[in-house]
């Protein structure tokens, strides 16, 4: 939990850190109306896109520099801090001129190390807080690489934003949450504050509160949420933006679980259950070790007979059988497939290693 770090960087912090505001600045009136509706609620910063990375040309591509003047006016009037997305050095220069309080690097930009490096170079010598969104694809290396490029340019106020990953599969969400990736980022960079952007994960306003709550349950430090005074008429991301009222009610209703509890009965019960889990894990590992021994023996037998390591027919049967059994045990098909595929991969590696060793 690194939300105190965000506070140390000068951002207001109440129940949680939230950056909120429209996907895009559209008119001065819209920027001011949204900022007024959000002022006085402990917002971390007011967000608004000025240069919009659109998938296809001809869509609304943002109002450009003029929008910075509108945001600056909104800040002067409401006292809110302000932040926007930068995708190239000219954006950085304009934002520094207007003395923005925060910047973020968008998902499309994080995907491209050349762009991230150019932004990092343009920021050298400043220490403005920069929030780095995950890349479009589920590649944690690219995400960490972008953060490292900014850190190497001397920036110390860095944070991450999880906005989901694009996928070719039909799904409920616009971008797959794939929580294991931000959780792995928390493990690898424990001092890095991390926000969740439920708007871009969901793609639909109605789903946003559920994903926001899930982020709270997973101990994210805060949120970035798209809020528009008239979502159906928004010039970008109309389906996913909340009205200020919907946003404030969502924040009010979010439960913020803590990592620990001092209740002795709870602690006792939890520690018994944890012992159980530890035991089961030991048994699983011992069984896996035994299974690998049998697999290696099978490998030696196959080598003697000059039979191939991979036996596609048998593998197909195993998968179908284990998925059927797994489903009977309340395990999902996807989970059983993942586990069995990992086990099979290791089995083949071990049989092959023996085969090579035997031939030497
Ligand atoms: C945005 O925040 O409006 C945006 C374009 O987000 P992303 O980079 O996550 O797509
Ligand atoms: Mn958007």
């Amino acid at each position: 939990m690194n939300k105190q770090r965000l506070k140390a960087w000068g951002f207001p912090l109440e129940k949680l850190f939230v950056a909120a505001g429209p996907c895009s600045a559209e008119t001065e009136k819209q920027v001011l109306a949204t900022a007024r509706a959000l002022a006085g609620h402990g917002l971390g910063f007011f967000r608004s896109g000025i240069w919009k990375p659109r998938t296809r040309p001809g869509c609304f591509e943002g109002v450009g520099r003029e929008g910075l003047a509108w945001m600056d006016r909104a800040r002067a009037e409401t006292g809110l801090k302000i932040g926007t997305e930068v995708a190239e050095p000219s954006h950085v220069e304009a934002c520094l001129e207007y003395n923005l309080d925060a910047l973020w690097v968008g998902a499309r930009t994080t995907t491209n190390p050349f762009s991230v490096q150019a932004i990092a170079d343009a920021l050298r010598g400043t220490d403005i807080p920069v929030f780095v969104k995950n890349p479009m694809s589920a590649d944690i290396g690219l995400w960490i690489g972008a953060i490292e490029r900014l850190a190497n340019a001397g920036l110390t106020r860095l944070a991450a934003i999880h906005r989901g990953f694009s996928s070719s599969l039909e799904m409920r969400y616009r971008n797959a949450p794939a929580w294991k990736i931000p959780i792995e980022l928390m493990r690898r960079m424990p001092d890095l504050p991390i926000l969740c952007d439920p708007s871009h994960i969901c793609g639909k306003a109605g789903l946003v509160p559920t994903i926001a709550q899930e982020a709270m349950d997973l101990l994210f430090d805060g949120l970035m949420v798209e809020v528009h005074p008239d979502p159906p008429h928004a010039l970008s991301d109309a389906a996913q933006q909340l009205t200020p009222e919907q946003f404030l009610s969502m924040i009010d209703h979010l439960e913020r679980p803590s990592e620990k509890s001092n209740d002795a009965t709870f602690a006792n019960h939890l520690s018994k259950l944890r012992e159980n889990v530890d035991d089961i894990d030991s048994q699983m590992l011992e069984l896996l070790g035994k299974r690998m021994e049998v697999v290696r023996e099978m490998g030696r037998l196959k080598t003697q007979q000059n039979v191939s390591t991979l036996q596609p027919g048998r593998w197909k049967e195993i998968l179908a059988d284990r998925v059927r059994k797994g489903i009977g045990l309340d395990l999902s098909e996807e989970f059983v497939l993942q586990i069995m595929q990992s086990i099979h991969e290791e089995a083949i590696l071990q049989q092959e290693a023996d085969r090579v060793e035997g031939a030497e």
Side-chain angles (χ1 to χ4, degrees):
M1 295 273 276
N2 290 305
K3 61 181 183 173
Q4 291 309 328
R5 232 171 258 271
L6 294 161
K7 194 172 180 187
W9 299 346
F11 292 112
L13 179 68
E14 286 190 2
K15 183 170 158 192
L16 70 156
F17 178 96
V18 200
C23 176
S24 305
E26 298 167 0
T27 61
E28 179 167 14
K29 197 166 153 227
Q30 170 246 13
V31 167
L32 286 172
T34 323
R36 282 178 195 138
L38 295 174
H41 295 281
L43 219 61
F45 67 84
F46 176 72
R47 66 146 280 157
S48 178
I50 304 294
W51 301 280
K52 299 305 297 179
R54 307 315 302 279
T55 306
R56 301 192 49 198
C59 299
F60 172 65
E61 294 191 320
V63 294
R65 219 186 138 85
E66 191 185 7
L68 291 175
W70 303 341
M71 289 180 77
D72 194 23
R73 254 167 250 153
R75 171 170 58 186
E77 191 191 307
T78 62
L80 286 169
K81 297 202 175 282
I82 53 173
T84 196
E85 172 177 346
V86 288
E88 53 178 59
S90 68
H91 299 165
V92 171
E93 279 153 32
C95 290
L96 294 177
E97 231 175 86
Y98 276 90
N99 200 17
L100 257 64
D101 304 294
L103 304 177
W104 79 85
V105 176
R108 289 156 192 79
T109 309
T110 307
T111 304
N112 181 350
F114 288 123
S115 303
V116 176
Q117 190 57 52
I119 291 171
D121 291 339
L123 282 167
R124 212 176 276 278
T126 74
D127 204 5
I128 182 170
V130 183
F131 294 74
V132 183
K133 289 202 175 193
N134 61 263
M136 302 295 284
S137 58
D139 183 338
I140 194 169
L142 266 180
W143 199 359
I144 292 177
I147 296 162
E148 285 171 345
R149 283 178 195 279
L150 292 160
N152 289 347
L155 292 150
T156 65
R157 299 169 178 196
L158 297 173
I161 304 180
H162 170 46
R163 50 79 76 201
F165 303 94
S166 86
S167 161
S168 59
L169 301 175
E170 280 291 315
M171 51 177 190
R172 187 175 163 82
Y173 300 109
R174 176 178 175 193
N175 289 293
W179 295 107
K180 65 181 175 200
I181 297 199
I183 289 172
E184 175 62 9
L185 184 71
M186 293 176 194
R187 192 183 69 77
R188 293 214 216 158
M189 305 188 102
D191 297 332
L192 187 78
I194 178 163
L195 312 183
C196 174
D197 168 350
S199 307
H200 288 89
I201 291 180
C202 295
K204 282 186 212 76
L207 300 175
V208 169
T210 314
I211 287 288
Q213 183 58 53
E214 214 163 327
M216 297 298 97
D217 297 341
L218 296 172
L219 297 175
F220 277 73
D221 296 299
L223 302 172
M224 175 182 264
V225 183
E226 287 190 341
V227 180
H228 191 286
D230 181 14
H233 295 104
L235 298 183
S236 59
D237 288 350
Q240 71 194 28
Q241 304 204 57
L242 302 181
T243 62
E245 296 70 33
Q246 288 170 330
F247 166 75
L248 292 171
S249 147
M250 174 182 87
I251 298 298
D252 233 28
H253 286 93
L254 282 179
E255 303 276 347
R256 192 84 175 110
S258 57
E259 199 180 337
K260 295 191 167 66
S261 154
N262 292 326
D263 184 300
T265 323
F266 161 83
N268 233 334
H269 193 179
L270 189 65
S271 98
K272 290 223 169 71
L273 293 174
R274 283 184 172 153
E275 276 170 27
N276 252 343
V277 163
D278 291 348
D279 263 3
I280 294 173
D281 283 355
S282 303
Q283 289 174 36
M284 278 193 325
L285 287 170
E286 269 170 39
L287 280 174
L288 277 174
K290 278 190 193 145
R291 188 186 194 281
M292 286 306 161
E293 264 172 41
V294 177
V295 159
R296 280 200 299 269
E297 168 125 27
M298 281 161 53
R300 287 189 285 274
L301 209 60
K302 288 179 194 165
T303 309
Q304 277 166 19
Q305 288 297 313
N306 201 19
V307 165
S308 63
T309 307
L310 182 64
Q311 297 283 314
R314 160 84 178 148
W315 175 229
K316 212 169 137 190
E317 275 169 30
I318 290 189
L319 272 188
D321 175 74
R322 306 310 187 254
V323 164
R324 193 174 42 74
K325 286 193 176 124
I327 288 174
L329 293 165
D330 261 353
L331 304 173
S332 75
E333 171 171 356
E334 194 194 349
F335 176 62
V336 177
L337 281 175
Q338 264 181 23
I339 291 195
M340 289 311 301
Q341 275 157 352
S342 300
I343 293 176
H344 188 239
E345 203 177 307
E346 177 65 14
I348 296 229
L349 278 176
Q350 295 217 8
Q351 290 188 348
E352 277 300 297
D354 280 355
R355 199 177 272 245
V356 172
E357 218 171 84
E360 276 166 5

